[in-house]
Every structure is written in C-alpha cells, then in structure tokens.
C-alpha cells in the first residue's frame, strides 16, 4: 500500500530569483505537483468531479524549511511521504533532495495538510470523509522515513 511517491525534475530558469536560486514560492508548487502525481499514481485526481457530490482536497496548512539552495538546472528529487491519515485529512512530509550535489543533499523539507471537502447545496465548502476506495490505498509512512 503506498505511503510515498518520488518525482524528479530539473530546476527551470524562470523558477530562480535574482540570486540565482529557486524562489521560495516554487517549493510550494513543487509540493502540489508531487501530491497530484501521487494521486494519479493511485488512479485518482485531487479533484473528483465524477463523484456525487464532487470532492476536492484544498490545503489547510503548508510550510517549508530551507537548508541548501537549489539552482538553475539542478536535478531535484521531490519525495512525498504520508505523515498522517485521518478520516477527512491527509498530511504529507515532502523532502527536496538536490541530486546534482555530490553527495546529494536535502535542500528543503515541507509539510502539507489537505482536507477532503465537498460543496453544500448553497455552495459552501464542507469537510467530508475521504472515499473508502482512496483511503484503502494510502497508509502512513514508517516512522524512520519521517524522521
């Protein structure tokens, strides 16, 4: 049962700032990309319009700590680990590993928490249980990987 997903990508020039390093905001985009890829690897999407009612997974918390810069053309591994699974909530730990460094080095570490939601008839978001089909496919990563 999946508790992790890895994605590799090159840092693009437009993602860097005046100092030549990845702008902090792009780490949040990277976290979103790896989360979406994780869901696709399970055969799902983070927006499930085909369900009745449709569901989505908006963010309720996101944070990132930076330890080493990423630069243009660095190869980065974005490693998503399921940190916590509750009936309505998924929390992830995301490690950013600079594979271009010798040896590879952790450049940043992020945390992302999402809540399964649907819309009420009046259009407001309300939390709902993660569909069993999805919940059954996801487990929490072993503690030693989350350290």
């Amino acid at each position: 049962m999946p508790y992790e997903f890895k994605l590799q990508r090159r840092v693009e020039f437009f993602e860097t700032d005046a100092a030549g390093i990845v702008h902090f905001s792009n780490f949040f985009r990277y976290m979103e990309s790896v989360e979406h890829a994780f869901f696709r690897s399970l055969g799902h999407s983070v927006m499930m319009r085909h369900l009745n009612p449709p569901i989505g997974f908006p963010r309720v918390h996101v944070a990132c700590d930076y330890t080493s810069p990423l630069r243009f053309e660095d190869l980065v591994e974005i490693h998503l680990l399921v940190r916590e699974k509750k009936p309505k909530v998924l929390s992830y730990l995301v490690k950013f590993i600079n594979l271009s460094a010798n040896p590879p080095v952790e450049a940043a570490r992020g945390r992302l928490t999402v809540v399964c939601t649907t819309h009420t008839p009046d259009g407001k978001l309300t939390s709902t249980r993660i569909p069993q089909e999805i919940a059954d496919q996801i487990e929490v990563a072993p503690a030693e990987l989350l350290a």
Side-chain angles (χ1 to χ4, degrees):
M1 199 180 311
Y3 55 78
E4 70 179 333
F5 188 83
K6 294 179 181 180
L7 183 67
Q8 288 185 8
R9 65 182 316 280
R10 290 254 177 227
V11 172
E12 300 289 339
F13 182 75
F14 73 88
E15 297 169 326
T16 62
D17 61 16
I21 61 175
V22 172
H23 191 269
F24 77 92
S25 64
N26 287 308
F27 287 86
F28 296 94
R29 290 181 178 96
Y30 297 163
M31 283 191 270
E32 186 169 72
S33 292
V34 74
E35 178 203 15
H36 291 195
F38 174 62
F39 264 75
R40 282 191 301 274
S41 77
L42 301 175
H44 304 289
S45 173
V46 295
M47 292 190 63
M48 296 180 208
R49 295 183 184 109
H50 66 283
L51 298 179
N52 189 16
I55 64 165
F57 290 86
R59 286 90 191 84
V60 295
H61 178 78
V62 63
C64 194
D65 298 310
Y66 311 96
T67 54
S68 179
L70 289 174
R71 300 180 192 289
F72 173 54
E73 293 190 341
D74 279 349
L75 180 63
V76 60
E77 177 182 272
I78 307 160
H79 186 181
L80 176 142
L81 294 152
V82 178
R83 189 168 57 90
E84 185 175 36
K85 180 177 92 169
K86 294 181 179 178
K88 298 179 181 182
V89 177
L90 292 170
S91 291
Y92 308 109
L93 171 67
V94 182
K95 298 177 184 179
F96 299 89
I97 310 300
N98 184 348
L99 298 176
S100 295
N102 190 12
V105 62
E106 186 172 303
R109 189 173 280 220
R111 291 161 306 287
L112 175 66
T113 301
V114 299
V115 174
C116 186
T117 62
T118 190
H119 287 89
T120 61
D122 62 359
K124 294 181 181 174
L125 282 178
T126 185
S127 63
T128 189
R129 293 181 74 83
I130 298 168
Q132 200 61 49
E133 174 187 359
I134 297 168
D136 287 346
Q137 291 180 287
I138 299 171
E139 69 181 41
V140 174
E144 60 271 12
L145 292 179
L146 297 171

